Amino acid sequence: MRPVPTSISKKLKPIHLAAIIFLTVSGGPYGIEPLLYFAGNHAALLLLILVPLLWDIPTIFTVLELNSMMPVNGGYYQWVKRAMGKRFALYEGWWTWLYTFVDLAIYPVLFVEYAAFFFPQLAAYKIPVCLVIIWLCAAINILGIMPVGKISIVLTAIVLIPFLIFFVLAFSQHHDFSIPHLSLHGVGFSSIGMGLYTVMWNFLGWDNTTTYAEEVDKPVKSYLTSVGIAFGLVFLIYFVTIVAAQASGIDYATLKEEGFPALGRLIGGKWLGVILAIGGMASTLGLFSAVLLSVSRVPKVMADDKLLTEKLSALHPRFNTPYISIIVCAVVVSIMIFWSFEELVVIDVTLYGAALSLEFVSLIVLRVKAPNEHRPFKIPLNVTGLCLMILLPLCVYAIALTAALKKLGTHPALFAIAILFTAEIVWQIIVWRNPQVATANS
């Protein structure tokens, strides 16, 4: 693989990386509003505690070990390629590309919903507004990774400050905060599944931030520090927000439909609703820009391996960014903004879980194939322990998928499962056009 030439002065520092990771994974509590509607008082916090433990911690450990072993551009694609060859690397890159298109389509839609707090008539112009957001963020990404990093810090502040104000007001008004009894009793299986999907979606993307590892200063140490900061911040802000929402007495259906601006209006009046709506708009912009940054690097490394057209590996002559890849991503996302939020979340997490499974397998395979290779961060488990560890997120994934089929019907989940098979179709087309790819499958 041809590394992206990046001067030290233009490489991301830990503070920039932490901001990008925060925006890639979370972007603040925006998007977690449906949790209380699906899970209720007693199950919401339980899911919020269990999912990071069972879904995120194994994922983060896997990402940190593999990234410390191979801190290269392309991240998860490169790990799978080394462990299992180009065929499964194509699966990984293709599935990630697909789920990220779905993921990216969510954010412009959410932006319009939060902006409608100020201009209700804006909903009628959802498509053109979404297109402006998509192409504005694409232009910023073409300018380079440092503009994205600097903008991420600003947007993170705009996201967090309204919630800090909200927390102060909420806790000053309610002195009887208490954690409800944690239980799944009385919550239907399908509702638990949708609650799982809601939390899983709000906690996914840790591996996405490794696709530009060569553009990060001291990547092993920087990722370890930045991921720790981002995870602690994400969990804390989610937990406190849900507790405050429970204490406010807001109708959970209203919270699901109108979002945190409605909660802010209830706690502090219209002005607090306004700044929370502004924070929501900043969150969606930051998420879109950060996720686009990560996914745009994947087609380039796939093109370098002759799995996609070489045009996708072209770098901008001035900004040294994979601008063709960024443009292609923006074009596809522009087509995907017509889905409903709930369907997009189900499709998104289903595709992501499949790609994540290949990363877990790669972790095991590389422990067997290269047991003595230097890993600055190494999970303190043997192969058997690693197999037991990855069963935890896979079980959460299976429960959520089964429940989603019951809740929303078969359409979104089966659509996601069906398009997973397109990876093999793409592989067969590649081999048919260039048989040398199969013979050089390593």
Side-chain angles (χ1 to χ4, degrees), residues 114-136:
Y114 290 119
F117 183 85
F118 306 102
F119 310 104
Q121 66 276 17
L122 196 65
Y125 302 95
K126 183 184 81 169
I127 301 303
V129 173
C130 287
L131 291 174
V132 169
I133 294 168
I134 291 168
W135 289 99
L136 175 63

Side-chain angles (χ1 to χ4, degrees), residues 143-282:
L143 292 178
I145 195 169
M146 283 307 297
V148 175
K150 292 176 180 178
I151 291 174
S152 294
I153 292 177
V154 174
L155 292 176
T156 298
I158 296 174
V159 169
L160 292 180
I161 290 173
F163 273 98
L164 292 176
I165 297 171
F166 164 73
F167 294 151
V168 170
L169 289 177
F171 281 90
S172 65
Q173 292 179 15
H174 300 277
H175 302 286
D176 56 344
F177 277 99
S178 60
I179 304 299
H181 176 65
L182 304 182
S183 171
L184 297 176
H185 181 71
V187 183
F189 180 66
S190 59
S191 294
I192 291 174
M194 291 308 299
L196 282 174
Y197 263 113
T198 301
V199 181
M200 290 164 72
W201 179 69
N202 279 278
F203 270 101
L204 63 79
W206 302 102
D207 50 348
N208 281 348
T209 62
T210 64
T211 59
Y212 40 83
E214 290 180 15
E215 300 171 71
V216 175
D217 185 32
K218 299 177 181 177
V220 174
K221 181 179 179 180
S222 293
Y223 274 100
L224 186 60
T225 301
S226 301
V227 167
I229 293 171
F231 178 79
L233 184 60
V234 170
F235 179 79
L236 178 64
I237 195 171
Y238 284 173
F239 190 88
V240 175
T241 300
I242 292 298
V243 171
Q246 289 175 319
S248 72
I250 191 172
D251 178 72
Y252 295 156
T254 300
L255 180 62
K256 175 179 178 289
E257 295 300 321
E258 300 182 22
F260 287 121
L263 181 60
R265 187 169 50 210
L266 176 66
I267 295 294
K270 186 175 181 179
W271 68 272
L272 185 56
V274 166
I275 64 172
L276 283 171
I278 293 172
M281 294 160 64

Side-chain angles (χ1 to χ4, degrees), residues 348-408:
D348 189 5
V349 177
T350 302
L351 294 173
Y352 176 80
L356 183 62
S357 299
L358 291 181
E359 296 170 36
F360 288 142
V361 174
S362 297
L363 174 70
I364 304 298
V365 171
L366 289 174
R367 276 290 189 95
V368 174
K369 289 175 63 175
N372 299 319
E373 186 163 336
H374 181 57
R375 295 168 171 84
F377 178 88
K378 185 175 182 179
I379 304 170
L381 295 171
N382 59 21
V383 171
T384 301
L386 292 178
C387 291
L388 294 174
M389 181 192 77
I390 66 177
L391 282 178
L392 299 176
L394 293 180
C395 287
V396 173
Y397 176 68
I399 293 170
L401 178 59
T402 304
L405 288 170
K406 183 178 179 181
K407 179 73 173 180
L408 294 179

Side-chain angles (χ1 to χ4, degrees), residues 286-308:
L287 278 163
F288 189 97
S289 187
V291 173
L292 181 59
L293 172 68
S294 66
V295 74
S296 64
R297 269 55 178 176
V298 176
K300 181 193 179 302
V301 294
M302 293 174 70
D304 288 342
D305 284 337
K306 311 300 182 185
L307 297 179
L308 293 175

Side-chain angles (χ1 to χ4, degrees), residues 135 138-139 141-144 292 296-297 300 311-331:
W135 289 99
N141 267 263
I142 290 174
L143 292 178
L292 181 59
S296 64
R297 269 55 178 176
K300 181 193 179 302
K311 293 180 180 179
L312 289 172
S313 66
L315 298 178
H316 194 281
R318 178 178 176 186
F319 303 115
N320 205 36
T321 52
Y323 72 109
I324 299 295
S325 174
I326 293 171
I327 292 171
V328 169
C329 292
V331 169

